[in-house]
Amino acid sequence: AYRVLDSQYFGVPQRRRRVFVCGFRGDWRNATKVLFDSGSLSKLVKTGCSRRLEITRTLKGTTTGGRGDDAPLVLTQDGIRFATPIEWERLQGFSANYTLVPFENYSLMDCPERLRYKAIGNSMSVPVIAWLGERIQAVHNEMIFRFSESLYYV
């Protein structure tokens, strides 16, 4: 089964549509249960639509690294500036400095910002992935419960 999920309906202040594909061995209906749970998503969509506030465009890392020409801007008392990697991380639901990692010949503290912007731009929003993980776990637990119940009726 597949479904397009948009981060704006999961509490992320940007429109970020992604296609998610789910499969289970055996009964195909298990995959649809993961992606099409009517109860939990209907609450998110209603809340998201009524209180939606457009804060930023979709974050994009460029192919060469960096933040791109249409990167979000921040208005401060001193003027306008580009959003920092930490602000990008928080917009995606990551903790601060999540992408601050050693890379090739760079130490942890020397990690280039262009690589951080690229990693964040290519990532998926944490709340969406968390929701998918919870749905997969719920369907898996239901499958185990049904299987264990069937053992009693043999």
Side-chain angles (χ1 to χ4, degrees), residues 16-147:
R16 193 173 187 87
R17 291 188 224 158
R18 297 292 182 262
V19 176
F20 291 90
V21 179
C22 181
F24 273 83
R25 188 167 31 144
D27 191 353
W28 60 270
R29 291 175 287 194
N30 291 322
T32 59
K33 286 179 186 177
V34 169
L35 295 174
F36 295 95
D37 174 47
S38 60
S40 62
L41 261 186
S42 63
K43 294 174 198 163
L44 289 169
V45 171
K46 287 177 186 169
T47 302
C49 286
S50 63
R51 296 187 319 172
R52 183 171 169 258
L53 176 62
E54 188 72 31
I55 292 180
T56 183
R57 300 180 197 137
T58 299
L59 302 176
K60 300 176 192 171
T62 63
T63 55
T64 57
R67 60 182 170 243
D69 294 334
D70 59 348
L73 302 172
V74 177
L75 179 62
T76 66
Q77 291 178 337
D78 299 329
I80 298 174
R81 63 171 176 79
F82 284 108
T84 66
I86 291 175
E87 290 165 331
W88 274 40
E89 289 166 336
R90 289 182 178 152
L91 285 170
Q92 281 286 78
F94 291 104
S95 58
N97 289 320
Y98 184 82
T99 58
L100 187 61
V101 295
F103 180 76
E104 293 181 355
N105 298 329
Y106 299 105
S107 68
L108 179 70
M109 296 313 293
D110 294 330
C111 181
E113 284 189 352
R114 65 181 172 78
L115 296 176
R116 295 179 69 190
Y117 285 119
K118 184 176 181 181
I120 299 163
N122 289 331
S123 68
M124 295 180 207
S125 300
V126 173
V128 177
I129 301 302
W131 180 82
L132 280 172
E134 290 167 7
R135 292 297 312 138
I136 290 169
Q137 185 66 56
V139 170
H140 179 71
N141 291 346
E142 180 185 317
M143 290 169 51
I144 290 172
F145 179 75
R146 280 185 294 169
F147 176 75

